[in-house]
Amino acid sequence: MSLRVNFSYAFTLNFKESVRKHAFCLRMLPLSNGVQTLLDWELHINNDVPFFLSHDGFGNALLFGTIEKSHRNFEAVLKGSVAFHGSYQYKDNENAALYLHPTTLTPFSPLARDYVETLMLPQSPLSLAKMLNQTIFQNFEYLAGVSTTSCDADALLLRHHGVCQDFSHLLITLLRLSHIPARYVAGFIDGEGESHAWVEALIDGYWRGFDPTNGIMLEHQPYIKIAHGRDFMDCRLNRGVFIGKSQQNLYVNVTVAREEQ
């Protein structure tokens, strides 16, 4: 039985003063892979500003364009549907070695090495990944507002509080230190008012999903994947440059509704 999921992702940037020549780049279009297929979609930007579709080096969809005229609001509304097929495990052609190395947000620090050495890890890669996922879920607390997008995995180890980005960065770090390729994933899930982050680990030749924020290994949950990369910096959903002062407020709303077929 397949599962069809309808989604809506809307965000608004309100600028304190008018800006112009606003070049934008959005990662918000779901991927099609061995787990999910993008069925249909439509995007509206301000008063139907034109945009173009391309892909980055990780295969993530990029929607980009430029607003020449002065404006104080930038609104993007994406609606569409995704079909899910079977359990969350699939193969792709990406070089997994890319996801074995530390990054700025997933450093192989003395703190991370010491932490992973305190754990009695099983030999099986799948059991190891499950244990690390549960360990983070049970020993760290979700708390909004205590971190920024520039916080690395060490920040969560130090304060024991964070958000889904922090939980994912720590799991990625510990998996890579255990010689398991792991990548950061951004997307949408049920019950979320904003986007969510989780982890894919390459185990027995298949990418499998782990959500340390909620302590689950993904199987048939409708987690809509938008982008993946080495860490959050490769998966930023919204980037832009413009002429004008940069003070701005961001409002995001995500809705996901599933329908059995």
Side-chain angles (χ1 to χ4, degrees):
M1 179 180 293
S2 64
L3 176 67
R4 182 186 177 111
V5 175
N6 301 315
F7 66 88
S8 172
Y9 176 62
F11 78 86
T12 303
L13 277 175
N14 293 326
F15 299 97
K16 188 173 183 180
E17 299 180 13
S18 293
V19 301
R20 58 189 174 88
K21 292 189 179 299
H22 180 178
F24 59 87
C25 180
L26 310 173
R27 286 183 185 86
M28 52 195 292
L29 189 63
L31 296 166
S32 289
N33 55 32
V35 177
Q36 67 183 40
T37 300
L38 179 63
L39 299 176
D40 54 73
W41 62 282
E42 61 178 42
L43 172 65
H44 297 283
I45 299 175
N46 284 16
N47 293 319
D48 290 326
V49 169
F51 60 87
F52 304 92
L53 172 63
S54 184
H55 293 83
D56 65 16
F58 300 96
N60 305 317
L62 299 178
L63 303 162
F64 63 95
T66 303
I67 304 176
E68 297 285 347
K69 296 180 180 179
S70 294
H71 56 285
R72 292 188 62 179
N73 300 294
F74 176 68
E75 183 178 31
V77 179
L78 175 70
K79 294 183 179 180
S81 60
V82 171
F84 287 89
H85 327 287
S87 186
Y88 197 125
Q89 56 176 348
Y90 67 103
K91 296 182 178 183
D92 62 21
N93 296 321
E94 197 166 26
N95 183 1
L98 181 66
Y99 301 105
L100 283 170
H101 306 290
T103 69
T104 302
L105 299 180
T106 59
F108 290 180
S109 65
L111 190 62
R113 291 181 186 277
D114 289 346
Y115 183 76
V116 78
E117 286 179 4
T118 66
L119 304 174
M120 296 291 290
L121 296 175
Q123 293 295 315
S124 159
L126 182 58
S127 297
L128 187 152
K130 287 180 177 180
M131 178 181 171
L132 289 176
N133 194 52
Q134 277 297 310
T135 297
I136 294 172
F137 171 69
Q138 292 171 0
N139 291 284
F140 299 87
E141 182 180 352
Y142 184 93
L143 186 62
V146 298
S147 62
T148 67
T149 56
S150 61
C151 287
D152 62 14
D154 279 4
L156 182 60
L157 285 170
L158 288 168
R159 63 170 171 255
H160 284 257
H161 299 86
V163 295
C164 59
Q165 175 185 312
D166 306 306
F167 281 60
S168 296
H169 281 150
L170 179 56
L171 178 56
I172 289 168
T173 302
L174 301 182
L175 285 168
R176 290 176 182 169
L177 282 170
S178 303
H179 311 293
I180 296 176
R183 59 194 185 190
Y184 185 98
V185 180
F188 312 140
I189 67 172
D190 274 347
E192 286 284 321
E194 299 184 10
S195 59
H196 190 57
W198 62 94
V199 175
E200 288 181 346
L202 188 67
I203 298 171
D204 298 329
Y206 292 89
W207 289 105
R208 299 172 183 261
F210 297 87
D211 181 359
T213 307
N214 293 303
I216 57 176
M217 176 180 170
L218 304 185
E219 294 182 279
H220 299 282
Q221 299 87 345
Y223 275 52
I224 301 177
K225 181 177 176 177
I226 303 298
H228 72 246
R230 295 162 295 186
D231 59 25
F232 164 79
M233 298 302 289
D234 292 330
C235 303
R236 286 173 288 180
L237 301 190
N238 168 44
R239 298 185 67 187
V241 293
F242 46 80
I243 296 176
K245 294 187 177 180
S246 62
Q247 189 168 351
Q248 58 194 260
N249 293 310
L250 173 65
Y251 302 93
V252 175
N253 183 53
V254 175
T255 59
V256 174
R258 60 174 102 186
E259 178 184 344
E260 296 283 353
Q261 292 183 322

